[in-house]
Amino acid sequence: MDKSGKRSVFSGFHRRYKAEWRSSIMNKKQKKLFYRILIAAVLLVVSYLIHALLAPKFPISLIIFLPPYLIAGYDVLLEAAIHIRHGHIFDENFLMCIATIGALVIGEYPEAVFVMVFYQAGELFQSIAVGKSRSSISSLMELCPESATVIRDGKSMIVDPSEVLVGETLSVMAGEKIPIDGIVIEGSSSVDTSALTGESLPRHIEVGDNISGGCINLSSPIKIKTETDYDNSTVAKILELIENAASSKAVTERFITRFARYYTPCVVIGALLLALIPGFITGEFAEWLHRALIFLVISCPCALVISVPLSFFGGIGAAGKRGILVKGSNYLELLSKTDTVVFDKTGTLTMGAFSVTEAVAYQNGNPCSNAQSIDHLYSLTALLEANSNHPIARSIIEAYNKKYNTIPREHADNVTEHAGRGLSAIVNKKRLLVGNAKLMCEYSIAIPEITTEGSVIYTAYDKELLGYFIICDTEKKTSAQAINVLKSMGVKRIVMLTGDREQTAERIAKRLGIDEYHASLLPADKVHIVEKMLNEMPKNKKLAFVGDGINDAPVLARSDLGIAMGALGSDAAIEAADIVLMDDDPLKLTEAIRISKKTNIIVMQNIIFALGIKVIFLAMGAFGIANLWEAVFADVGVAVIAILNAMRTLKAPNK
Amino acid sequence: MKKIFKLENLDCANCAAKMERAIQKLEGVNSATISFMTQKLTLDADEARFDEIVAQADKECSKVDRDCHIVK
């Protein structure tokens, strides 16, 4: 009961969230403010005309400006009063009140109203811009399925995805979204995975294939058997990740909020000193008060404070649309400072799909090609490898299947796994070994030197070599291009790590244009190498490790940035990495770096621009060059420009 | 205990920073982060007094912005 209750709250939450995002372009509150600003602006023009044409005397002159002032700013005055009671003195509302009331006191009526109207217009714009970028991220939420058609007791019924149990059969029509991860049990079709991976090419699926929820079934109806419940499905995990993405903040983001905390009080104190000291010296209080008010008008740090998180948020959103999940603004920031990229070879630069290209049997230490010894080699190797899920082991089993048209019937018992080396077991009281050269060395088995490309798996039984398999893995089509692009982007050091043999590593590294590689590594060695590299690096540069998320969780965690690739359907990888590339194209990494660089440039532009303008106006205000009109125009203008600039991050950069 | 809450009517980035600071200062709070963009509060606080702390955090939020509340 408790559990199902939690589930429906969870999915209800998503739906509520979506609805909210859709309607947030201009909500009720914003509309009300919009009309108030409009009315106030019209009244201001009318009052200004009366003021200019009739030139009424005080207090009539003040009274004609009060209606627009109050219509535009009554809530600002109210908020300020409430905040003073709570002890928040340096509040934007309060500062605006002081600035405008100050202007009214020294008789600058039109300015006072103008400042208030413009300030409110700026606020409205900010709130619309934020709402808009929030809603544009919501297109990511579109992958959330609305309902699922489940087949129970031969009848199909439509239920909420959260009510589907593990192992139930779902029917998915063409054009429908696949609600939950599962295996295809009937029919074949093509699916659009773009919502998850950013990959526009449809994928073909048939009986036995795994399929992730959130994909759209394109061509024909299929039935799938669910493998998880909704809470644990890829879609739910991704949604959760996106929603929580912004909880780890970037250094720049923290810096700006800390800066804002001191900026406002400093400017206000500056304003106070500017009003009092020269005022006493020269006796021209009105003039210096006027200059001090300019300080107050530009004392609000809004433009900065809003544009930085908005930029990072936009960047994360843009990346998400391309199938790149960034788990926090800090990672997006770090990615642009990456100058060392360490790749795991298998499954990252290469397909990770192995096949046996050669099988050589041995007898009495010499190669021999009679069928009997080859059968012996295959059957004993398969005996052990049937216990393993390692891609290499699977490729041997596949070769076995192909050769004998059957699956290995027996499994060895008591199999010991030697991490990064192979497997061993006792069969008929004698030791059976299947693994690489290292494992053979450990058990002092004499092995031939093999120079052909590929990984070599030896099989030995009763201290004698039975033969070896050569297993090849081809590099991905885009690997070389990705390495090239990384280099041109200024990544200085590209390293490939692999548990594979020196010869294989060397050839692949050469073909891909990688200068540095480390071969024959055990999983623990990879951590040591990454740690050593981290120590050698300057502090302001970062190291990214790219792996497929299988077996390399410790390295992912140890690096400055752990990037998991081809993570669709692998929860462990989504969990362990800081950045997740949903499909397995290495070019996605370059795209992620491009988005990160663009985002960071925009953040820097905004900081420099907004601070620069503020400093200039503080100086101009102090020297009496700027007036209130210009100051508020500059302040709101900076905010608008900074926000528009920040929203550029929503659009992913072109290649 | 760590929990994520949604904040309603959080419309100003500087307010979010102020609320974050105020909540961090509450007794029993280990860490608090407010994301202005996603309108989320991530609160890590003393488990025994969690509900009480959430209530206090809610008060701090509405002190900064009258309309802003934690959605429970």
Side-chain angles (χ1 to χ4, degrees):
Chain A
M1 178 64 214
D2 182 24
K3 200 166 177 214
S4 67
K6 229 157 82 191
R7 262 195 226 137
S8 57
V9 167
F10 187 75
S11 57
F13 174 75
H14 282 312
R15 239 167 277 137
R16 202 172 65 225
Y17 221 58
K18 269 169 80 174
E20 223 165 80
W21 263 344
R22 281 198 188 125
S23 65
S24 64
I25 298 300
M26 186 125 124
N27 60 28
K28 237 181 176 170
K29 208 172 151 189
Q30 289 166 342
K31 272 189 193 140
K32 194 177 150 203
L33 184 57
F34 175 73
Y35 289 123
R36 274 173 51 204
I37 293 169
L38 214 63
I39 294 167
V42 171
L43 285 179
L44 172 62
V45 173
V46 174
S47 313
Y48 188 76
L49 287 176
I50 297 172
H51 178 77
L53 297 175
L54 305 174
K57 290 209 172 59
F58 185 83
I60 311 283
S61 55
L62 174 62
I63 290 165
I64 56 167
F65 279 104
L66 277 182
Y69 177 74
L70 290 177
I71 288 171
Y74 74 88
D75 57 339
V76 177
L77 294 166
L78 209 69
E79 288 280 330
I82 291 166
H83 286 163
I84 292 169
R85 233 183 49 205
H86 287 310
H88 293 278
I89 304 172
F90 294 122
D91 170 82
E92 292 87 51
N93 295 306
F94 176 70
L95 296 172
M96 271 304 137
C97 292
I98 302 282
T100 51
I101 292 172
L104 290 176
V105 169
I106 56 174
E108 306 267 5
Y109 308 133
E111 280 89 340
V113 183
F114 182 74
V115 166
M116 192 54 99
V117 170
F118 223 74
Y119 168 74
Q120 290 283 47
E123 290 289 296
L124 176 65
F125 177 80
Q126 279 181 23
S127 123
I128 292 174
V130 168
K132 191 156 182 288
S133 49
R134 272 179 188 150
S135 72
S136 68
I137 306 285
S138 77
S139 65
L140 275 171
M141 311 294 278
E142 297 288 311
L143 53 89
C144 181
E146 306 280 336
S147 65
T149 311
V150 62
I151 297 172
R152 283 177 187 157
D153 307 323
K155 278 183 228 148
S156 58
M157 47 204 282
I158 294 171
V159 298
D160 193 279
S162 62
E163 286 165 22
V164 178
L165 307 173
V166 180
E168 282 198 294
T169 304
L170 298 179
S171 150
V172 186
M173 293 295 155
E176 278 183 356
K177 213 169 284 168
I178 290 157
I180 298 174
D181 307 354
I183 290 183
V184 182
I185 52 169
E186 201 184 304
S188 66
S189 180
S190 55
V191 286
D192 175 2
T193 62
S194 61
L196 293 175
T197 62
E199 168 66 57
S200 50
L201 219 62
R203 208 182 104 197
H204 178 76
I205 51 162
E206 51 187 38
V207 174
D209 283 344
N210 280 308
I211 184 71
S212 294
C215 302
I216 297 166
N217 182 14
L218 292 176
S219 46
S220 53
I222 51 169
K223 288 203 172 103
I224 62 170
K225 201 172 132 206
T226 58
E227 294 234 285
T228 62
D229 54 15
Y230 179 74
D231 283 4
N232 291 309
S233 71
T234 312
V235 174
K237 287 238 163 81
I238 292 172
L239 289 178
E240 210 182 314
L241 205 147
I242 296 168
E243 281 176 5
N244 299 333
S247 64
S248 2
K249 290 184 184 171
V251 180
T252 329
E253 217 170 333
R254 292 193 188 282
F255 163 76
I256 283 302
T257 39
R258 220 176 307 135
F259 172 84
R261 200 174 158 193
Y262 299 106
Y263 169 80
T264 308
C266 285
V267 174
V268 171
I269 291 167
L272 207 63
L273 296 178
L274 194 67
L276 293 179
I277 298 173
F280 270 115
I281 296 169
T282 60
E284 294 170 32
F285 283 105
E287 169 60 22
W288 289 100
L289 188 61
H290 186 232
R291 293 186 188 186
L293 292 179
I294 292 171
F295 268 46
L296 291 183
V297 168
I298 46 181
S299 65
C300 173
C302 299
L304 277 176
V305 177
I306 206 165
S307 74
V308 176
L310 190 64
S311 307
F312 280 118
F313 190 64
I316 290 174
K321 274 187 195 149
R322 302 286 183 104
I324 303 161
L325 301 184
V326 183
K327 283 197 184 167
S329 335
N330 52 341
Y331 303 121
L332 200 60
E333 190 176 44
L334 289 182
L335 192 58
S336 69
K337 295 183 186 150
T338 299
D339 83 334
T340 303
V341 177
V342 182
F343 284 98
D344 187 36
K345 180 180 75 82
T346 310
T348 309
L349 292 172
T350 63
M351 311 271 257
F354 295 90
S355 57
V356 174
T357 52
E358 212 180 330
V360 180
Y362 267 65
Q363 216 167 32
N364 304 323
N366 290 310
C368 83
S369 56
N370 70 51
Q372 199 189 347
S373 47
I374 287 186
D375 289 348
H376 192 48
L377 169 68
Y378 263 105
S379 64
L380 279 178
T381 311
L383 200 62
L384 263 190
E385 295 288 56
N387 293 285
S388 173
N389 259 332
H390 193 280
I392 287 186
R394 282 209 298 251
S395 72
I396 291 181
I397 295 298
E398 210 170 274
Y400 181 95
N401 289 351
K402 233 188 237 163
K403 195 168 165 66
Y404 300 103
N405 233 339
T406 161
I407 49 166
R409 263 156 301 167
E410 294 166 83
H411 291 207
D413 295 325
N414 303 320
V415 173
T416 318
E417 202 180 318
H418 304 263
R421 282 161 294 175
L423 302 168
S424 75
I426 304 293
V427 176
N428 293 335
K429 293 182 185 155
K430 285 167 193 154
R431 191 181 298 279
L432 173 64
L433 298 167
V434 174
N436 57 17
K438 265 189 196 162
L439 186 73
M440 297 300 135
C441 263
E442 242 165 74
Y443 288 92
S444 323
I445 311 274
I447 47 167
E449 177 84 14
I450 293 154
T451 49
T452 40
E453 190 179 341
S455 311
V456 187
I457 297 297
Y458 299 92
T459 302
Y461 183 56
D462 193 18
K463 293 176 191 154
E464 197 190 324
L465 185 70
L466 291 186
Y468 62 84
F469 294 86
I470 304 237
I471 289 150
C472 271
D473 179 17
T474 45
E475 59 255 47
K476 291 178 190 165
K477 275 187 219 135
T478 51
S479 292
Q481 193 191 342
I483 302 290
N484 233 331
V485 176
L486 282 180
K487 281 183 179 165
S488 70
M489 278 176 155
V491 174
K492 293 209 179 68
R493 193 172 173 192
I494 298 175
V495 184
M496 182 176 86
L497 303 183
T498 176
D500 221 334
R501 289 187 311 151
E502 179 75 25
Q503 286 97 326
T504 318
E506 190 190 342
R507 279 206 193 90
I508 290 190
K510 206 178 243 171
R511 265 211 297 273
L512 297 180
I514 297 174
D515 312 313
E516 190 182 344
Y517 65 87
H518 300 268
S520 310
L521 301 174
L522 299 177
D525 296 337
K526 293 186 186 172
V527 179
H528 293 315
I529 287 179
V530 165
E531 272 175 352
K532 210 177 127 220
M533 277 190 242
L534 283 171
N535 287 335
E536 288 164 8
M537 283 173 54
K539 275 220 171 73
N540 58 342
K541 293 295 175 189
K542 301 293 166 196
L543 180 146
F545 175 81
V546 190
D548 60 2
I550 305 166
N551 294 331
D552 45 20
V555 198
L556 282 176
R558 188 63 195 85
S559 322
D560 293 321
L561 262 177
I563 303 174
M565 189 181 263
L568 190 54
S570 161
D571 296 344
I574 294 183
E575 209 67 24
D578 304 319
I579 295 178
V580 177
L581 309 178
M582 293 311 283
D583 65 4
D584 51 11
D585 182 355
L587 272 178
K588 277 277 153 69
L589 175 67
T590 64
E591 212 168 311
I593 294 181
R594 208 176 278 130
I595 291 171
S596 142
K597 287 206 162 146
K598 183 179 170 187
T599 306
N600 279 284
I601 287 171
I602 289 176
V603 167
M604 286 325 282
Q605 280 171 352
N606 277 345
I607 291 176
I608 292 167
F609 170 70
L611 274 184
I613 297 283
K614 293 222 170 196
V615 168
I616 290 171
F617 265 83
L618 285 175
M620 282 166 70
F623 290 111
I625 305 167
N627 62 26
L628 272 181
W629 303 78
E630 287 157 6
V632 73
F633 202 76
D635 190 58
V636 174
V638 168
V640 169
I641 292 169
I643 288 168
L644 288 178
N645 196 23
M647 286 172 80
R648 285 199 303 134
T649 54
L650 280 167
K651 239 185 99 201
N654 294 325
K655 278 181 191 166
Chain B
M1 190 162 92
K2 200 169 173 179
K3 224 173 152 188
I4 296 170
F5 296 94
K6 183 159 164 49
L7 295 169
E8 59 181 7
N9 298 323
L10 177 63
D11 336 292
C12 117
N14 204 21
C15 306
K18 282 182 194 165
M19 291 173 197
E20 188 180 279
R21 273 199 296 277
I23 296 171
Q24 279 164 355
K25 276 187 200 144
L26 290 176
E27 211 184 303
V29 172
N30 302 325
S31 79
T33 339
I34 292 182
S35 157
F36 166 65
M37 287 313 301
T38 51
Q39 299 174 296
K40 290 278 177 61
L41 160 69
T42 313
L43 182 65
D44 181 355
D46 187 0
E47 181 139 18
R49 292 177 50 241
F50 200 80
D51 290 341
E52 193 187 325
I53 292 169
V54 172
Q56 283 174 355
D58 185 55
K59 222 181 206 165
E60 290 300 330
C61 290
S62 47
K63 262 191 207 170
V64 178
D65 183 342
R66 244 180 329 139
D67 301 329
C68 182
H69 287 286
I70 294 174
V71 182
K72 277 173 211 134

